[in-house]
Amino acid sequence: MKREGRSLVWLCTTISVLLFAEGIWRLADPGVGVDNVASSSFQGANFILFCVFGLCCLYWPEKPAPSASKDEEPAAGEKGVVGLDVETPAANGEGAERCKEEDAPGAKPPKRQITYLTNLKTFLTFIVVTHHTVGQFTRPVGAGLSTVAANFLSPDLQPKSSFLTGGSWFQSVDQAYFMATFFFISAYFCPRSLDRKGFKKFVIDKIVRLGGPFVLYSAFLGPLLFLMCQAYAGQPLSYSYNTGPTWFILWLLN
């Protein structure tokens, strides 16, 4: 357990430092245009704030819990306090083992599965996959490896596909609710998780589980993917910042 604890501390420290470096990078290289400068400034300040929260929760000294005084401790031979060991006979060996598991110190209570939320998340996952599949047939080739439904840059040069109307309608409708519903479900359980873990453990857990994948993709895998695409297309290679599909992780962290 101690080794796992030290590994978690080092992992959270590394991710926090990388978030700080990414924040400085976004502030130092905001890009061109008012929108890019505003987005980079917000993201840079946001990443630095994540780093401060993570490091403070890791290394801020905790106030020691007050120890019980000797006057408050019950005397060994105090009258009126009797300890009894009562053995409850179990119907069979399985029942006895179950009782031992439930009474074991530190045993976690079984998680209660909420069926309607599981069904809702399954449906939303299906919508997400279908949304992006439909998108591959409604976007021009310039936006990625996809089938051309219409040439939006020169609509007169190519007739619109019959799939474009239905596909665009489907994407416009489901994009209005499916990610917002995912965020709502996540936020619904946040107060309960915060009460159970405590503020420090809650923040450290979010930095590791969400901040780690975000830094890994936005600073390394995303730009690497663009470099591979540029090399394949024969274009000049340039390292560019790219959050890609991890954009929603930044929303969850906030």
Side-chain angles (χ1 to χ4, degrees):
M1 297 297 293
K2 291 183 178 180
R3 181 178 300 177
E4 294 179 359
R6 286 195 293 266
S7 301
L8 181 63
V9 169
W10 280 108
L11 182 59
C12 186
T13 302
T14 303
I15 295 173
S16 298
V17 172
L18 288 175
L19 283 171
F20 179 82
E22 189 169 345
I24 296 298
W25 176 27
R26 296 299 290 154
L27 293 175
D29 186 17
V32 181
V34 178
D35 294 340
N36 290 331
V37 172
S39 177
S40 299
S41 301
F42 173 79
Q43 290 181 356
N46 211 2
F47 297 155
I48 294 175
L49 186 62
F50 292 154
C51 170
V52 172
F53 266 106
L55 295 181
C56 286
C57 289
L58 278 174
Y59 298 105
W60 193 272
E62 296 185 3
K63 184 178 180 181
S67 57
S69 60
K70 295 182 179 180
D71 298 336
E72 296 177 357
E73 296 180 357
E78 185 177 359
K79 295 182 179 181
V81 179
V82 181
L84 297 178
D85 294 332
V86 181
E87 295 184 359
T88 304
N92 49 37
E94 184 180 352
E97 292 296 331
R98 187 182 297 112
C99 292
K100 290 180 180 179
E101 292 178 359
E102 293 177 355
D103 297 338
K108 295 182 180 180
K111 292 185 178 181
R112 183 171 62 92
Q113 185 177 8
I114 305 178
T115 305
Y116 73 90
L117 279 181
T118 302
N119 295 336
L120 178 59
K121 289 188 290 185
T122 302
F123 169 75
L124 292 174
T125 303
F126 168 77
I127 292 296
V128 171
V129 174
T130 307
H131 175 90
H132 289 87
T133 303
V134 171
Q136 294 303 309
F137 294 91
T138 55
R139 294 180 180 179
V141 176
L145 299 177
S146 55
T147 303
V148 178
N151 191 336
F152 295 98
L153 299 178
S154 300
D156 298 333
L157 300 180
Q158 181 180 358
K160 293 183 179 180
S161 170
S162 58
F163 184 80
L164 177 63
T165 303
S168 300
W169 177 87
F170 174 78
Q171 286 193 299
S172 299
V173 170
D174 61 42
Q175 201 168 17
Y177 70 87
F178 70 89
M179 287 306 297
T181 308
F182 270 124
F183 291 143
F184 176 80
I185 295 174
S186 177
Y188 179 79
F189 291 100
C190 272
R192 187 181 305 177
S193 178
L194 179 60
D195 294 338
R196 185 179 71 254
K197 297 178 181 179
F199 181 76
K200 286 190 175 182
K201 188 175 180 181
F202 179 83
V203 172
I204 293 173
D205 181 69
K206 296 303 180 185
I207 290 292
V208 173
R209 295 178 59 188
L210 298 177
F214 179 81
V215 170
L216 180 63
Y217 187 92
S218 62
F220 299 101
L221 296 182
L224 179 62
L225 177 62
F226 265 65
L227 287 174
M228 293 172 59
C229 294
Q230 291 170 353
Y232 177 79
Q235 299 179 356
L237 302 182
S238 61
Y239 187 86
S240 58
Y241 182 79
N242 177 32
T243 58
T246 59
W247 64 268
F248 70 94
I249 297 181
L250 186 60
W251 287 83
L252 290 175
L253 280 171
N254 281 279

